[in-house]
Amino acid sequence: MKGRRYLSDRIFRGIFLFAALFAAAMIVLLLVFVTVRGIQPFLPSYPERQSILPFLTGMRWRADQGVYGVGFIIINTLVGSILGGLLALPLAVLSAIVIGRIAPPKISQALTTVVETLAAIPSVVYGVFAAGKITALVDDIASTFGISTYGGSSQLAVILLLAIMTYPTMTSLTISGIKAVPLTLDSASLALGATKMETYFKVVIPGARSSIFAGFSLGLGRAFGEATAVSMVAGNALIGPTTSLFERTRTLTSTILAGLHETVGLDYDIRFSVGVVLMIIILVTNAMIFGVKRHFDKKAEGK
Amino acid sequence: MKFMNRLKQNKDISTDSDIISAQSALVDNPDGVAFDIRDLNLYYDDFQALKDINMEIKDRSVTAFIGPSGCGKSTLLRCLNRMNDLIESSRVEGEIIHKGQNINSPDTDVVKLRTEIGMVFQQPNPFPKSIFDNAAYGLVCQGHKNKSFLREAVEEALIKAALWDEVKDHLKRNADSLSGGQQQRLCIARAIALNPEIILMDEPTSALDPIATSRIEDLITQLKQEYTIVIVTHSMSQAARVSDETAFFLLGDLIEFDTTDNIFQNPRDSRTEDYISGKFG
Ligand SMILES: Nc1ncnc2c1ncn2[C@@H]1O[C@H](COP(=O)(O)OP(=O)(O)OP(=O)(O)O)[C@@H](O)[C@H]1O
Ligand SMILES: [Mg+2]
């Protein structure tokens, strides 16, 4: 009897180990594949060899002239994604407070379902919405300032779109974080003469800190990686960086995607290089968010 | 009218001086009474958890609530700082006069009330913050920002809660790193920091070992010089050790309320006697 249980334990351990290794192997494979393809245009053997520095710092992307610079695209991507994420963050936290603490159970359940549904809507649907509605809105806003836009395709449209798209992920992680904060802490706070608002902001939100950071970095990951919908409103500017909210922009993903199937040679290969840049940016950003979180942990928890 | 009922109800057990102090309670809380509870009924939906409770809780003394599980001790304790407000299904009738005001009145400033009436819970529930931030929490919510003021207030509260010597060198450490007994004393310190008049304790030692328990009991005895303390306890010996007066509850009724000596030595009601001698509960 005991022997059988040990055996099945060992078998399951084997299966889990295999699953973990398989996932890790897939990630490594993907990274290696993209990286190997991505460095091709910079190798001496490549016919239209590119130099790394002009590629990374270049402020023009003119495929027609054979000029490929991603410097401004990196800046645009960072600005668009981070502003989009920062716009979504307070909304996500406030919604999560309403859902996790304020709303009566039935309403809270209904709102949770809405948020989860939002998170599951495919990006192309957001894209269609953005191309139809957000761009029109941006155009209206711009015209009240007397600015004309390219049909609303702009940095602002990208920011608004990414705020909407990252909101569900951030909210749903924050909800679970908030629900994990014991209600006994709320009671303790209220019994000390804190108002409900003080309790939410001084006890509940700090207590859900880890989930909020996790939600923010997942959300930012989605923002950086979002291609389809962003391409529909970015307007693919040729030079940059974009300095006005109403100007067209270009992100790393929209650059990879634009005309992908109609192109060959350097114009095709260089998109893998852009992919490598994107991966590095995501890694660095995550590391930075982790650093900020550590800082907050230290400050909030003492020690 | 209600008041007359109350007098009648208590007639056979009250002395003349009781009646006099009860009469003056009509005008204002006389000195010496922290809470005058009058015809208090509390319902959770249809379930009546407290039935016509009438009692006076004395100032600067320790009052113990005893009784079998589910008899309404915690419910009554939560009435005293309006924490039952947080339970949606609860509905309360009757009055609790505190400093001449009925705290059940809708005009009561609940936030202010809770700064004057501290509460300590059954499970130690420090915030996941530093020891200092825990002790300073109430004051910070009151809008105190001055660092040196906070430092002094925290030190004083921790000294009163008999925790200072153990934590003075690492106030920045997370409160989770403390032992259960230390955490509970931190929770007491957190309440004391607001300089309340009254401290409510709901089975404050039930999660603690005997040594930590006796430290908290010593602390209660010290604190009663300055504070009115109401404590819910399942331990007869604890009630006997720390309290001046004891109230025995059964199924939502206040069965007997008297000096602790009388309750434990000559209970008038046979149910009280059965309970304290361990026949049920
Ligand atoms: N939030 C609530 N909703 C509904 N009923 C409740 C609630 N809290 C308590 N009750 C009921 O009210 C009655 C009194 O509960 P209370 O917690 O005051 O008892 P207690 O004397 O403190 O018991 P214990 O010694 O077990 O802590 C119980 O029957 C309980 O089931
Ligand atoms: Mg209780």
Side-chain angles (χ1 to χ4, degrees), chain B residues 255-271:
Chain B
I255 304 295
E256 192 167 346
F257 179 38
D258 206 335
T259 62
T260 300
D261 287 344
N262 282 343
I263 291 277
F264 284 92
Q265 276 147 34
N266 348 281
R268 281 184 310 265
D269 197 294
S270 60
R271 291 166 293 181

Side-chain angles (χ1 to χ4, degrees), chain A residues 172-241:
Chain A
S172 96
L173 263 105
T174 307
I175 292 171
S176 47
I178 281 173
K179 286 196 170 155
V181 176
L183 284 169
T184 54
L185 294 185
D186 293 48
S187 300
S189 168
L190 293 166
L192 286 165
T195 62
K196 290 209 164 160
M197 284 302 145
E198 284 163 343
T199 302
Y200 300 145
F201 284 97
K202 293 193 165 122
V203 175
V204 181
I205 293 174
R209 204 165 54 244
S210 295
S211 309
I212 295 173
F213 276 105
F216 187 65
S217 47
L218 265 181
L220 267 196
R222 184 167 193 195
F224 283 129
E226 180 46 48
T228 323
V230 167
S231 299
M232 293 162 90
V233 297
N236 276 350
L238 298 174
I239 53 171

Side-chain angles (χ1 to χ4, degrees), chain A residues 184 189-191 193 202 302-303, chain B residues 111 114 125 129 137 172 174:
Chain A
T184 54
S189 168
L190 293 166
K202 293 193 165 122
K303 171 92 198 172
Chain B
V111 166
R114 290 183 189 147
N125 55 356
K129 299 174 186 289
Y137 183 85
K172 288 222 152 114
N174 195 314

Side-chain angles (χ1 to χ4, degrees), chain B residues 44-45 47 49-50 67-76 78 87 89 122 202-203 232 234:
Chain B
Y44 293 114
D45 290 321
F47 173 74
L50 293 174
S69 190
C71 66
K73 307 176 295 291
S74 301
T75 301
L76 181 59
R78 285 198 302 265
I87 300 171
S89 65
Q122 179 168 2
D202 196 347
E203 302 184 45
V232 172
H234 274 287

Side-chain angles (χ1 to χ4, degrees), chain A residues 2-12:
Chain A
K2 201 172 173 187
R4 277 255 293 279
R5 280 182 53 203
Y6 276 119
L7 184 64
S8 70
D9 193 47
R10 289 234 305 264
I11 292 173
F12 273 108

